[in-house]
Amino acid sequence: MARVLSLFTPSGRPTLGNLLGALRPSAQRLTADAARTDHVYGIADLHALTSPHDPALLNDRALELAGLAVAAGIDPERCVFFRQSAVAAHTELSYLLESTAHYGEMQRMIQFKEKSARHEVVRLSLLTYPALMAADILLYQATDVPVGADQSQHLELARDLADRFNRAYGPVFTPPRAVLPATAARVMDLADPSRKMSKSVDSPGTIHLLDPVDVVRRKVMRAVTDSGSEVTYDPAAKPGVSNLLAILSACTDTPVEALSYSSYGALKRDTADAVIALLEPLQQRYAAIAADRAGLEAVLRTGAEQARALAAPTLAAAKRAIGLTAA
């Protein structure tokens, strides 16, 4: 049976891009495939340690993201849903994969280059966390991993490490395959459509999932557009308009080619309405979930127990294969 795995990192306030590119597609995949596919979803709080953070805020962000994931339709009753740090096998397998990886390939990772260039002090975990990401995937023998363009290199590394480990020590891991993202999986910043909408970068063009409705409308109506007045989908020549069309398409499940507008103003109004129509019920569901924090924590504890049981055979096999325990 196929097994889908996705982990979501609480490195900031979740955005519309996170909803359209990760949370909602994961929920839709779960609804469509639960009968014939295993699903493993989690909050990758260990990945948030690669940059400076406030411990109390990290915990709150992790729970907020978990609540939003459930509100978006990721049903803990139909999948394994857990907090990464509650499953020690992730860090244990990560070290075995660090001992399989090469310094050069870690240093060449695009995200390491980009993020390290922004900081005077670079944490070692920023260099090595792709091994942890590989451990996240390989630990559960995941066959299908949804990835965007910015994560494809990490998945290739996971495949390389799985193959290298298997050749050196025996067949332990299932090399995962990428699941390509749907339209609008990469939502761009409304104020600067040359960059992705980011939960870790403060920008007036970022729509956060818990933004009030009036704030959401204002951000969309102030979105950067392009020279000329023609509304066409052309990400190279018209990145601002194309971003709005992609967002509207994703929110309404309407193909971009079926959207027709004669003015930027009408496009912005309809996009704002569509985003609000998507976020309002999500926020209402989240409010009910967040009101029962103890209940959400209990859901994550149950999921962690399931994840530990699922991960244990793979970790044991890897330790035997590499020579840490008797074969």
Side-chain angles (χ1 to χ4, degrees), residues 10 45 48-49 51-63 83 85 123 293:
D45 47 352
L49 304 184
S51 59
H53 67 281
D54 176 88
L57 184 59
L58 171 59
N59 187 54
D60 288 343
R61 290 284 187 245
L63 289 175
R83 192 165 169 172
S85 61
R123 296 188 177 189
R293 180 169 174 142

Side-chain angles (χ1 to χ4, degrees), residues 135-175:
D136 298 336
I137 298 167
L138 302 180
L139 193 58
Y140 299 99
Q141 304 290 356
T143 58
D144 298 344
V145 181
V147 293
D150 57 344
Q151 295 293 341
S152 59
Q153 191 183 32
H154 288 133
L155 184 65
E156 285 305 311
L157 177 66
R159 290 181 58 85
D160 290 345
L161 293 180
D163 289 338
R164 189 178 304 157
F165 190 102
N166 289 345
R167 288 196 306 269
Y169 307 115
V172 173
F173 300 121
T174 301

Side-chain angles (χ1 to χ4, degrees), residues 76-143:
E77 296 293 327
R78 305 175 69 183
C79 66
V80 176
F81 183 63
F82 67 105
R83 192 165 169 172
Q84 178 196 32
S85 61
V87 182
H90 285 259
T91 51
E92 196 167 351
L93 181 59
S94 178
Y95 183 72
L96 302 190
L97 295 179
E98 285 181 23
S99 301
T100 306
H102 302 154
Y103 173 73
E105 63 190 348
M106 291 293 201
Q107 195 179 37
R108 288 192 296 271
M109 301 300 286
I110 294 171
Q111 286 204 357
F112 172 72
K113 290 180 178 180
E114 292 178 347
K115 292 182 179 180
S116 61
R118 297 200 297 262
H119 301 286
E120 291 184 6
V121 178
V122 180
R123 296 188 177 189
L124 183 60
S125 59
L126 184 61
L127 176 68
T128 61
Y129 93 94
L132 176 59
M133 186 177 291
D136 298 336
I137 298 167
L138 302 180
L139 193 58
Y140 299 99
Q141 304 290 356
T143 58

